[in-house]
Structures are given as structure tokens and as C-alpha cells.
Amino acid sequence: MCLVAGVVLCAASAAWAQAPVPDSQQIEAKAQAMLSKLTLQEKIKLLGGVDGMYTQAMPSIDLPRFKMSDASVGVRTWGPTTAYAGGVALAATWDRAFARALGEALGRDARARGVNFLLGPGVNIARSPVSGRNFEYLSEDPYLNGQLVVPYIEGVQSQGVIATVKHYAMNNSEFDRHNIDAIADERTMREIYLPSFEAAVKQGHVDAVMDSYNLVNGEHATQNQFLNVKVLKGEWDFKGILMSDWVATYDGVAAANNGLDLEMPDAAFMNEKTLLAAVKDGQVKESTIDDKVLRLLRTELRYGFTDRPQLDVADATYSVKDRAVALQGALESITLLKNQDHLLPLDAAKIKTIAVIGPNAWPAVTGGGGSSHATAFAPISMVTGIGNVLGPDVSVLYSGGLPSPEEIFLDTHWAGSIQVQQYENAKFTGTPSTGTERRLAEWHYVEFQRAGPARSVRYTAGFKADKAGKYLLLAAANGGDTYRIQVDGKEVLNQARGEGESPKSAELDLSAGQTAHIVAEYVPNAAGLGFGMGVAYEPEMISADAKEFAAKADAVVVAVGFAPSTEQEGSDRTFDLPWGQDALVEAMAAANPHTIVVLNGGGGMNVMRWLDKVPALVDAWYPGQEGGTAVADVLFGKHDPEGRLPVSWDRAWTDNPSAKWYYGDPAKKKPMQTTWETGKLHTVEILPAVYGDKLMVGYRYWTTVGKQPLFAFGYGLSYTTFKFSNLHVPGAAKSGSTVTVNFDVTNTGNVKGAEVAQLYVSDPSAKVSRPERELKGFEKVRLDPGQTKHVALELDARAFSYWDESAHNWKIDPGKFVIRVGGSSEDTPLVANLTLQ
């Protein structure tokens, strides 16, 4: 018996030892002792990574190197893994408990691979739906982000793995990300863009922070004194490690003096050559170097990395246990946006044949592209998931529905030969070499290539329409390449220089016999050419089998939206759906009235062309490896759709409050000299992007101007109904005190379901302009039919505060506040006034 107890106690002790311990005199003494044994050269060496994903080892103090992994939705870097519904899908769950479970699962996956640093979560605000990395982040609201990131971090770090919150800060776009200067006033930063990081540091006690690529108010984040020294390490008292994003350091001395502790993936700037000389001539203090090394040592000691192996074979590399976590996240995040005439849930008993059509139907789309993309062992596609639910007696018909870009490029019949002019520079000047081509099909997806010799190519072609109607002009080039295309003298497409690009399309309305004159000017970045262009007649672009299957099926599921090749790190995506998908949805809806559209993507997208033609619309976000199962369970009523929108959906990109400001003003570009990337001094152009939308992000804008988006923040349909009642708010309270808001939520339908009760605060008597309402509380409530649950939400002083720019602090203006409770930012049936005295 004692032996058994001893084993149990030892196991519990070992599990507890995984979590970081608080700072102590013993840890400080050991870190100082290790520091004292290092030469200045050795200290500097520790400030840069090695071999892509490791910190430096230091044999003189018995310090091994420590392992990192990309993250957010899975432990990506070291082979196949469990791929979860993370990022924006996590935000769509509105579930703190799931965030904790997700963090713990990621921590276990990291330990199973010997990973010390998990490079996630990302918490940047979804300011615009076109930002290419929104899917990795969370929501448009800083409070929701903060409430989810804290348990996520606590979960990861409870497993003995350092979480890394990123990308600090203002990384709200991906295009030209090294040269974008995000310009925002302090109040906008404090109220919208910094609170998620603040919560991660002050509440979640995250032990690593990653600086972003972009500039903020004129300085790159990795050398930004305001962000790193004043706010992060000063006001927030961050004690951990501040690292750069990969190849995001631009000046070694400036980075060293302005807070950066660790340059990744190697010491391109914070190296011995730069910093040894800087210390000797007084540009950098040795105490500054010491502080960075001590941060590394203290953190690693607190986790016991030097006392135990990080690889824990008790955690499975292929984890059946964590498949359940992945499925839970997918189920909780799926958001029902339209359900006309209660088409959903489908009655499986009445389905004999179902068509699953679209580019995202198979293979499984688990996540977006770039460094967060996790390769799952056995991801479940929508085709597979639906087939598994329906069983062997139902016919599941699958078609991708659309040709590949290469097929369109090769099948285009141009009116005569394509005239080619090639210049030995990037400016289309001088005397070109000339030639002809029959097809433009040199494109094969390449994310980015090293720069080759300067060249530019002009293609001139004609396309004659055989029939009247809509035609699709499709073009593609490799990452790093640029092009612009004119049709009859009008520019219709362009690609700026980016790290990863997907095909772009434009719609042409042509009459029978009309010839469109097309000029494409292409500037390759690499040595080889990688450009493709073609034209297709939209009605004939949809595959014949997709049309036939849709016509014969009892119901059609159309799986469209974005994927790793069309929404990814390094470039922004379009607001419109990827090429051809609108036409595919229209064709399926025309063939079958029981058409359900299931979307993948990191935020809002343009569905206006066909929304009124389909009875049901489902947003599956990026649901991870179990997405196909989760979608099928929701479509057939095995699980109530309980996701709620973490972002507002605009009808058009131009409706978004950031649209006017998002791409900056190219006329105001400023030259800056740097040795970044090339190692040689050269000039780059910095693009100022003013955040002129200020606090008016997402629902803050819509509720303030009194208009409604297509779908509101917090919105989501259910197979049941809910009622809010019995709101109780104290009539008055002392300014700065905690206020408790009480109310009831009742499931008034016939199905078990979950509602997200949301609390918004308005400050109509404020002395400054404030958004009409702001989210300050929420709770996910699970209810059986007829069940009522009492909810109590507490509002602290911060819930009523705004940032006073003159005082540089948070401030409450005493007076009237309005408390609103309901199921979305636009649906708040319970309203009460509160006076803060």
C-alpha cells in the first residue's frame, strides 16, 4: 500500500515539476553565478539563435541548447502533429475552458517532441478581413482576446513549456510587412491593440514575447523603445524573454538598447562583431547585455530545463487523447450564419444521395498557410466526415467542381500569338528582345525565391469571346514577383511584391465575337519566369460532374473559401472568394434548392453575389484535423452549432472602417538605409500606414455610426432559441469599485444548446469620444431544453475606463453608464443604467 502511495505521490510530484516555479533567491543566485562565469563574447553569443529553431548552448556553464516550434494551431516544426481549431476558430468558441484545454494539449504535444518554447499564441487584432494572418490570431476585440489568451498560456505553461505571445505589436497586415510603419496615437494603441498583450503578461504571466516585423510610429518593433522598454518591461513589469520574429531584427545596437533579448533565428545583427565593439566604445552598456542573459537564464531555470529532459515519452506523439480536444474545438467553433426555412439540421433518414462539391471538400482544409500550418497525421475532410456520419447506405458524390489554374492557362485559346517583350531591367526601358508564345503557363506555386537579375516582361495578347457572358481572367505569379494587367487600357489586376501569392482573377463581360486586348507587365523576382495567365467562360468552367451530382442529390454541400495557398503568412488575402468559387456556388444553387455553403477562412469574406440564392450558410473557420467530422455532426444535428462570430462581417471591403487607411499612402513613402537581408547597405522604402480609423474597429464602428454589418460581432444561429431576462444592475456604485451584473438565460427551444451571453458597456456621459458600446463581459451557457441558468458577471474599474492621453493613464468619468446584455453586439434586449459616483 505504501509503495503504491509512494508511486502516486512521485507521479504527482513529477507532473507538478513540469510547471514553472516562481522566481526565488535560489534561482537568482544560480543565474548570477552562471553569468559570472561567462566572458563578454559568450554573453553576446547567447543573444542569437542557432540552427533555425534553437537557442545557443554554452558548455562553459553546462547550458544546453533549447528547442522551439512554430505553433498557434499545432506543434508544427517537428513533423506531423495534432492540428487543432485554434486562432480565430478558438475565438469563435468564446470558451475560456476550451482555451485552457487547448493550451494543455499543445503543451503535451510540445513535450512529446522535446520542445521548450512554443511560438504562440498570436493575439493581434483583426482590424481588417484581408489581413493574411487573421486566422492565426483571435478576434477584433481586445477583451475577448485577453479572456482567451490567458487560459491558453496557462495551459501551455502548466506542461513545462514556455508560451510565446506574438506579434508585438500592431501586426495587423501582412503585405510588405518588413516596411510597413503602423502609425497610431497612444489611446488607440492602449485601448485596442495592446490590451491582449497586456493580459498575456500581467494575467497569463507569459514567459516569452515575440516582436513583429513592422515599424510602429517610426521604429521597428524589435528596436522600439516605447513598446519594449517603457510599456512591456516597464509598466507591465515583464520578466521573461523578448525575442524577435524570424529575420525581424534590423539594427543590432538599436535592438540591444531598446529591449530585444534574443534574435532569431540567428545573430545577424546582435552578434559579437556588432555588440563587442558597441560595448567597448560605450554605445551599449555591458549591464544591458547582462540583463538579457539573466532573463534567458532565470526563465530556463524556473522551468527546470537544466534539471530534467524536456522530452516526455508519457505524452504521445500521436495523441488519441488530444484528438478529442481537436474535435471539441471544431464543434464549438462552427458558426451558423443563415438557416432559411430551417433547412438545417438535415434529416439523415431522408438523405439517400448527397453531393459534396468544391475545392475545400477534399482534401481536408485544416488551417491557413505559413509558419502556423500544422500537418496532421490523419485529417478528416468534409467528404469523409459526411460519409462517416451517413453510413454505407447513402451515396456520397464528390467533385472539386473547378479546374486547376494550370488547366485554365493551358486551355486558353488566344486570338493569335502572344507577343513577348523582355527587358534587361525592371522598368520596361531600353530595347527589348522579342518573341511569341502560344500559352502563358509557366506558373507553379512558389512561396518565395531569392532575387535574380533584374528583368521585366511585357505580354500583349488578344482574346476573342465565342459566346456572350461572363468570362474569368485568371493570372498568377510566384511569391516575390509583381505584375499588372490591363484589359482594353483599364487595369483590372495587379500583384505587389509579397512573400506568398495565390492566383488572382477579374470578371470580364464580353459580347459574342468581341476581342479583349490584354497587356500584362510582369517583373520576376527570381532568375526564372513564373507567370501564368488565361481566360475561361464562367458557365463552362464548372465541371459537368458537379452539375450532374447537384441535380441528382437530395442535398448539396458546397465547400469553398480560403486555404493555405490563398490565406497565409507573408501576404494579404482578398475579400472576394478565391477565383471561380462564386460561379460554383451559383451553379450548385441553381441545380438544387437544398444547397448548403460551408466556408473556410480567417474572417469575413464577400458572399453577396449568391447569399440570397442559398438557404444555409455555415462558417467552419479553419477547424483543424477533425473538421470534417465536426461539420457533419453539425449539419445532421448531432451537435448544435454554438460558434459565435469573433469578427464583424462586412457586406463589401469598402464598408470596413479600416478600408480607407489600410494600404497607406504610397506617395508618402520614406527612404531608409539598412543592411537587412542583403548584408550590404541599401535603401528601402518605408510605407506609412496611418490608423485613421482609431478606435472604430469592427462592431465599435457599426454600433457607433448606427449602421449594421452583414453579420454582427457575437452573432450565430442555433437549432434552439434562447431568452435573456431578469437583469439586475445596482443603480449606483462608487467609481473604481467592482460592479456585479446579474441576469438569467433560458433555453426556450426543444434542443440542447449553448448561448454566449455578452455584456456591453456604454459611456454616454464621457468627456471624450468613446465607441457606442464595448464588450466587457461574457459567459458561455450550456442549457437543456427549458432550462434556465443564472449568470453573474463582474465589471472592474477597467471596464468603465478609457485612456487619458494627457495623463497617460486610465480614467473613469463619473456619471451615467449603460449596461447591455444579449446574444450579439446588435442584439442586446436587456438594458439598464448605472451611475458611477
Side-chain angles (χ1 to χ4, degrees), residues 406-418 437-441 461-467 471-473 510 514-516 518 533-537 540:
E406 293 86 351
E407 287 174 311
I408 289 181
F409 300 155
L410 289 170
D411 291 346
T412 300
H413 297 286
W414 299 100
S417 297
I418 302 165
E437 295 282 355
R438 293 182 58 204
R439 302 284 186 271
L440 291 179
F463 178 83
K464 185 176 181 179
D466 293 332
K467 303 172 184 176
Y471 286 77
L472 184 87
L473 171 64
L510 302 177
Q514 180 182 351
T515 298
I518 302 173
M533 184 172 71
V535 182
Y537 182 50
E540 296 176 356

XYZ file of all heavy atoms in Angstrom, residues 406-418 437-441 461-467 471-473 510 514-516 518 533-537 540:
312
model
N -3.577 25.771 -63.727
C -2.766 25.314 -64.863
C -3.644 24.881 -66.032
O -3.303 25.133 -67.199
C -1.863 24.155 -64.424
C -0.769 24.529 -63.433
C -1.213 24.509 -61.988
O -2.436 24.362 -61.734
O -0.348 24.638 -61.104
N -4.781 24.249 -65.713
C -5.686 23.822 -66.791
C -6.250 25.029 -67.527
O -6.372 25.015 -68.766
C -6.816 22.976 -66.206
C -6.378 21.590 -65.769
C -7.477 20.823 -65.074
O -8.108 21.383 -64.155
O -7.706 19.653 -65.446
N -6.592 26.089 -66.787
C -7.103 27.293 -67.463
C -6.010 27.929 -68.305
O -6.252 28.352 -69.450
C -7.647 28.285 -66.422
C -8.953 27.737 -65.829
C -7.869 29.667 -67.038
C -9.602 28.625 -64.815
N -4.794 28.006 -67.793
C -3.701 28.605 -68.561
C -3.448 27.825 -69.852
O -3.240 28.415 -70.918
C -2.418 28.643 -67.724
C -2.524 29.450 -66.448
C -1.698 29.178 -65.383
C -3.454 30.477 -66.330
C -1.779 29.910 -64.206
C -3.553 31.218 -65.153
C -2.705 30.928 -64.087
N -3.470 26.488 -69.770
C -3.167 25.661 -70.932
C -4.319 25.597 -71.921
O -4.108 25.428 -73.130
C -2.798 24.249 -70.484
C -1.441 24.106 -69.781
C -1.305 22.721 -69.162
C -0.291 24.387 -70.738
N -5.563 25.736 -71.423
C -6.737 25.580 -72.297
C -7.186 26.879 -72.943
O -8.138 26.877 -73.728
C -7.900 24.989 -71.499
C -7.657 23.534 -71.111
O -6.739 22.921 -71.685
O -8.359 23.032 -70.213
N -6.540 27.990 -72.618
C -6.951 29.273 -73.197
C -6.518 29.357 -74.659
O -5.350 29.124 -74.999
C -6.330 30.444 -72.416
O -6.775 30.377 -71.057
C -6.747 31.780 -73.022
N -7.457 29.693 -75.518
C -7.175 29.861 -76.940
C -7.121 31.357 -77.238
O -8.148 32.032 -77.360
C -8.248 29.173 -77.786
C -8.292 27.687 -77.586
N -7.346 26.825 -78.102
C -9.162 26.905 -76.892
C -7.622 25.586 -77.750
N -8.729 25.614 -77.014
N -5.907 31.863 -77.335
C -5.718 33.284 -77.597
C -5.967 33.593 -79.065
O -5.858 32.712 -79.928
C -4.298 33.706 -77.216
C -3.987 33.501 -75.759
C -3.297 32.461 -75.211
C -4.386 34.337 -74.680
N -3.229 32.590 -73.839
C -3.895 33.745 -73.485
C -5.106 35.519 -74.583
C -4.092 34.302 -72.236
C -5.305 36.069 -73.334
C -4.809 35.469 -72.173
N -6.322 34.825 -79.343
C -6.551 35.264 -80.725
C -5.201 35.558 -81.364
O -4.701 36.679 -81.336
C -7.442 36.501 -80.748
N -4.570 34.522 -81.889
C -3.229 34.677 -82.452
C -2.169 34.460 -81.387
O -2.439 34.053 -80.259
N -0.933 34.736 -81.744
C 0.186 34.535 -80.827
C 0.265 35.652 -79.791
O -0.194 36.775 -80.017
C 1.502 34.473 -81.615
O 1.506 33.377 -82.495
N 0.862 35.323 -78.675
C 1.114 36.304 -77.621
C 2.457 36.966 -77.905
O 3.473 36.280 -78.060
C 1.151 35.617 -76.239
C -0.173 34.891 -75.979
C 1.447 36.627 -75.135
C -0.099 33.891 -74.833
N 4.599 33.568 -77.851
C 4.199 32.388 -77.105
C 2.784 32.015 -77.506
O 1.988 32.878 -77.897
C 4.242 32.661 -75.596
C 5.616 32.932 -75.020
C 6.433 31.673 -74.825
O 5.893 30.558 -75.056
O 7.620 31.795 -74.459
N 2.459 30.729 -77.385
C 1.082 30.277 -77.620
C 0.280 30.215 -76.321
O -0.920 30.377 -76.325
C 1.093 28.891 -78.283
C 1.663 28.880 -79.693
C 1.583 27.481 -80.264
N 0.220 26.995 -80.269
C -0.120 25.702 -80.264
N 0.825 24.780 -80.202
N -1.392 25.335 -80.290
N 0.963 29.965 -75.218
C 0.311 29.872 -73.919
C 1.163 30.588 -72.884
O 2.375 30.724 -73.036
C 0.152 28.396 -73.481
C -0.645 27.530 -74.441
C -2.142 27.799 -74.332
N -2.905 26.875 -75.140
C -3.230 27.072 -76.412
N -2.826 28.190 -77.026
N -3.947 26.193 -77.079
N 0.528 31.045 -71.812
C 1.251 31.600 -70.669
C 0.982 30.678 -69.485
O 0.006 30.850 -68.749
C 0.798 33.032 -70.368
C 1.197 34.088 -71.405
C 0.657 35.449 -71.004
C 2.717 34.155 -71.540
N 1.823 29.680 -69.332
C 1.581 28.646 -68.327
C 2.883 28.255 -67.623
O 3.153 27.081 -67.387
C 0.940 27.425 -68.980
N -1.647 40.320 -75.735
C -2.454 39.241 -76.306
C -3.865 39.722 -76.572
O -4.321 40.733 -76.021
C -2.481 38.044 -75.355
N -4.565 38.989 -77.397
C -5.983 39.228 -77.636
C -6.774 37.984 -77.307
O -6.301 36.865 -77.503
N -7.976 38.181 -76.779
C -8.859 37.049 -76.511
C -10.212 37.347 -77.132
O -10.854 38.347 -76.816
C -9.021 36.800 -75.014
C -9.956 35.660 -74.714
C -9.496 34.353 -74.756
C -11.297 35.889 -74.426
C -10.359 33.289 -74.507
C -12.160 34.836 -74.178
C -11.693 33.533 -74.223
N -10.667 36.447 -78.028
C -11.951 36.620 -78.710
C -13.002 35.730 -78.074
O -12.819 34.519 -77.942
C -11.801 36.275 -80.191
C -13.055 36.552 -81.009
C -12.796 36.289 -82.486
C -14.043 36.602 -83.313
N -13.794 36.363 -84.764
N -14.115 36.349 -77.650
C -15.188 35.616 -76.986
C -16.044 34.885 -78.015
O -16.540 35.494 -78.967
C -16.057 36.564 -76.175
N -16.222 33.579 -77.805
C -17.103 32.804 -78.677
C -18.564 33.057 -78.364
O -19.429 33.003 -79.246
C -16.809 31.307 -78.533
C -15.435 30.936 -79.069
O -14.947 31.630 -79.977
O -14.851 29.964 -78.550
N -18.841 33.320 -77.076
C -20.217 33.491 -76.626
C -20.310 34.747 -75.770
O -19.322 35.200 -75.199
C -20.666 32.275 -75.800
C -20.537 30.950 -76.534
C -20.802 29.777 -75.602
C -20.585 28.454 -76.308
N -20.744 27.299 -75.400
N -16.769 36.139 -68.356
C -15.514 35.415 -68.508
C -14.621 35.718 -67.301
O -14.691 36.798 -66.711
C -14.789 35.818 -69.796
C -15.423 35.265 -71.053
C -16.580 35.837 -71.582
C -14.868 34.166 -71.705
C -17.174 35.330 -72.724
C -15.453 33.646 -72.860
C -16.601 34.237 -73.364
O -17.178 33.718 -74.504
N -13.790 34.738 -66.962
C -12.866 34.886 -65.850
C -11.458 35.048 -66.400
O -10.954 34.159 -67.090
C -12.927 33.655 -64.934
C -12.056 33.737 -63.677
C -12.838 34.415 -62.559
C -11.624 32.339 -63.225
N -10.836 36.187 -66.097
C -9.421 36.390 -66.401
C -8.632 35.976 -65.164
O -8.818 36.532 -64.083
C -9.152 37.852 -66.742
C -7.669 38.254 -66.865
C -6.998 37.527 -68.033
C -7.531 39.763 -67.044
N -18.202 40.075 -71.797
C -17.874 40.166 -73.216
C -19.073 39.751 -74.056
O -19.834 38.850 -73.680
C -16.675 39.274 -73.555
C -15.369 39.560 -72.793
C -14.305 38.543 -73.184
C -14.884 40.972 -73.051
N -16.518 39.579 -79.510
C -15.705 40.694 -79.014
C -14.296 40.212 -78.685
O -14.106 39.151 -78.100
C -16.347 41.303 -77.761
C -15.559 42.464 -77.170
C -16.201 43.020 -75.905
O -17.324 42.642 -75.550
N -15.498 43.906 -75.225
N -13.311 41.005 -79.072
C -11.921 40.701 -78.743
C -11.431 41.654 -77.667
O -11.503 42.877 -77.832
C -11.014 40.815 -79.980
O -11.439 39.847 -80.960
C -9.561 40.544 -79.618
N -10.984 41.091 -76.555
C -10.400 41.886 -75.476
C -8.897 41.966 -75.681
O -8.235 40.947 -75.915
C -10.716 41.238 -74.133
N -5.370 42.513 -74.167
C -4.815 42.316 -72.826
C -3.310 42.560 -72.841
O -2.589 42.007 -73.684
C -5.108 40.888 -72.325
C -6.633 40.647 -72.309
C -4.518 40.657 -70.937
C -7.023 39.216 -72.002
N -1.308 33.052 -67.192
C -2.499 33.863 -67.445
C -3.404 33.114 -68.406
O -2.935 32.467 -69.348
C -2.112 35.229 -68.024
C -3.299 36.180 -68.231
S -2.784 37.865 -68.691
C -2.181 37.584 -70.364
N -4.708 33.213 -68.170
C -5.658 32.577 -69.055
C -7.046 33.167 -68.875
O -7.308 33.931 -67.935
N -7.965 32.792 -69.765
C -9.343 33.276 -69.729
C -10.269 32.069 -69.881
O -10.021 31.189 -70.712
C -9.620 34.300 -70.847
C -11.051 34.824 -70.742
C -8.628 35.458 -70.789
N -11.333 32.034 -69.082
C -12.299 30.934 -69.157
C -13.712 31.489 -69.154
O -14.005 32.497 -68.488
C -12.107 29.981 -67.978
N -14.601 30.827 -69.871
C -16.019 31.172 -69.917
C -16.678 30.595 -68.667
O -16.687 29.386 -68.455
C -16.639 30.599 -71.189
C -18.095 30.921 -71.406
C -18.575 32.231 -71.314
C -19.004 29.914 -71.737
C -19.910 32.528 -71.528
C -20.337 30.192 -71.969
C -20.792 31.502 -71.857
O -22.123 31.788 -72.088
N -19.068 27.473 -68.459
C -18.464 26.198 -68.841
C -17.271 25.835 -67.951
O -16.677 24.768 -68.126
C -18.038 26.251 -70.310
C -19.212 26.414 -71.257
C -18.792 26.557 -72.706
O -17.559 26.611 -72.962
O -19.669 26.617 -73.583
